Amino acid sequence: MPLEAGLLEILACPACHAPLKEQDTELICTSQDCGLAYPVRDGIPVLLVDEARRPD
């Protein structure tokens, strides 16, 4: 389920403050140094570093 229009524009990675991009059911940090992937549950982004998946 895509996020509401405009929401992605104001969200940033809590760890490094880089923009996020939507991919499947996650929001991915666009910073090459960070790259954390945050889950989206029931259409709500969970922007907690403890809940983020580390890059592969």
Side-chain angles (χ1 to χ4, degrees), residues 1-36:
M1 172 188 226
L3 294 177
E4 188 174 313
L7 181 60
L8 198 55
E9 294 175 14
I10 62 171
L11 294 178
C13 175
C16 71
H17 309 291
L20 299 169
K21 66 178 178 180
E22 193 170 9
Q23 183 176 345
D24 300 324
T25 60
E26 295 180 316
L27 293 178
I28 311 293
C29 177
T30 57
S31 169
Q32 291 185 15
D33 295 331
C34 180
L36 292 175

Side-chain angles (χ1 to χ4, degrees), residues 33-54:
D33 295 331
C34 180
L36 292 175
Y38 299 92
V40 177
R41 296 185 186 130
D42 298 321
I44 301 169
V46 181
L47 298 177
L48 300 171
V49 175
D50 291 342
E51 295 282 327
R53 178 177 58 80
R54 299 281 172 198

